[in-house]
Amino acid sequence: MSRAEQSTKLDLERIIFIGRTFEEYLDMFSLSVAELKGKRILDCPAGACSFTAVGNALGLNITAADIAYYHSNEDLYVKGIQDVEHAMEQMEIAKTNFIWDYFNDIEGLRKHRLRALNHCAKDMRQSSERYVPVTLPSLPFKDGEFDVLLSAHFLFMYADRLDYEFHINTLDELLRVTKEEIRIFPLVDLEGKRYEHLDKIISYLTETGCSVEEVKVPYEFQVNANSMLKINKG
């Protein structure tokens, strides 16, 4: 294996390729298909979610962006299968940190995660132009290219490795490419605690002319992860 191949393999090993279903997205972001019709939508970072695949099949206009998409579909699918199984093993250990109303049990969760992965992988093969490789906090899109931007399970969650400056730089970039509205879910870190700099983030966004509100949503799997940040551009 060449040095370049080794580097690519290591980069892929650091990526967790797992995703949520289209239905989960609607609940996480308190949205309906009717609300999204006619909108240009960006899912970032999208991972192995089926939101883009299923949404476009329903007539929506969705683009997915993620650092994972620098890798081949085949490699990502294999990685996705491995990551789902690893996640299920971890769930057995930490399942008291989660609420099981939505999935019933770990087998139900596995089915959701595999369904999302399979929809995503199939759509990536058929419509690769929808899946854009990016490295945040930089995005290769024009100013105001999207009406709505959805961002799940990234910002705020990884407070232990993504510092405040990264959050601000990323939010500035998300705002740049969005014309109307950004929704971010959830508002807690991996321990289920409210992101420590969230009030500071909200103040920053308000000062830039945005209107910001914390909104309870009809979805809670991780304990306390039942709110999103809704940001409307001024």
Side-chain angles (χ1 to χ4, degrees):
M1 185 182 294
S2 70
R3 185 172 297 176
E5 287 171 328
Q6 285 178 328
S7 175
T8 300
K9 184 174 184 294
L10 286 171
D11 286 343
L12 183 57
E13 285 173 354
R14 283 197 288 265
I15 290 169
I16 298 172
F17 197 61
I18 199 165
R20 278 78 187 171
T21 62
F22 180 80
E23 295 78 13
E24 284 179 84
Y25 259 59
L26 295 184
D27 288 337
M28 288 188 309
F29 292 110
S30 198
L31 286 166
S32 68
V33 173
E35 287 177 89
L36 296 172
K37 286 278 188 183
K39 303 284 189 182
R40 293 167 302 166
I41 307 154
L42 179 64
D43 181 12
C44 178
C49 296
S50 65
F51 180 67
T52 298
V54 176
N56 280 290
L58 293 172
L60 301 179
N61 181 2
I62 306 172
T63 299
D66 199 286
I67 194 171
Y69 304 151
Y70 285 108
H71 300 279
S72 73
N73 298 353
E74 294 76 15
D75 286 348
L76 285 175
Y77 184 72
V78 171
K79 182 71 165 62
I81 293 291
Q82 294 170 346
D83 287 347
V84 168
E85 291 312 311
H86 177 69
M88 296 309 106
E89 291 170 8
Q90 296 303 306
M91 282 293 166
E92 286 286 0
I93 299 167
K95 58 186 175 184
T96 55
N97 296 331
F98 296 86
I99 296 170
W100 293 93
D101 297 342
Y102 202 95
F103 304 105
N104 296 323
D105 54 26
I106 288 175
E107 187 53 37
L109 176 63
R110 176 186 278 108
K111 288 176 180 176
H112 273 74
R113 295 291 171 263
L114 289 174
R115 181 154 55 93
L117 174 64
N118 286 323
H119 278 142
C120 177
K122 181 180 178 181
D123 197 50
M124 287 180 73
R125 288 193 297 272
Q126 296 175 345
S127 305
S128 60
E129 72 281 357
R130 293 177 186 156
Y131 296 84
V132 181
V134 302
T135 305
L136 289 168
S138 178
L139 293 173
F141 304 116
K142 293 180 285 189
D143 293 358
E145 187 166 340
F146 302 95
D147 298 306
V148 177
L149 190 150
L150 305 178
S151 186
H153 298 99
F154 180 63
L155 291 175
F156 311 148
M157 284 216 83
Y158 296 99
D160 59 331
R161 63 202 82 166
L162 303 175
D163 62 17
Y164 176 76
E165 184 179 0
F166 177 88
H167 278 76
I168 291 295
N169 291 338
T170 298
L171 283 165
D172 283 343
E173 186 72 343
L174 299 185
L175 286 165
R176 181 186 68 79
V177 304
T178 309
K179 186 184 292 184
E180 297 176 6
E181 182 182 294
I182 295 171
R183 298 189 183 199
I184 302 171
F185 175 89
L187 306 183
V188 299
D189 61 22
L190 290 170
E191 295 181 353
K193 297 175 183 174
R194 190 173 189 270
Y195 173 55
E196 61 176 331
H197 299 304
L198 189 58
D199 291 330
K200 193 175 173 184
I201 292 275
I202 291 171
S203 295
Y204 172 80
L205 292 168
T206 303
E207 288 166 7
T208 64
C210 297
S211 61
V212 186
E213 59 180 320
E214 296 180 50
V215 181
K216 280 279 171 64
V217 299
Y219 179 97
E220 185 178 9
F221 179 41
Q222 182 189 6
V223 173
N224 297 326
N226 60 355
S227 298
M228 67 166 172
L229 202 66
K230 185 178 178 183
I231 306 164
N232 287 95
K233 291 191 72 172

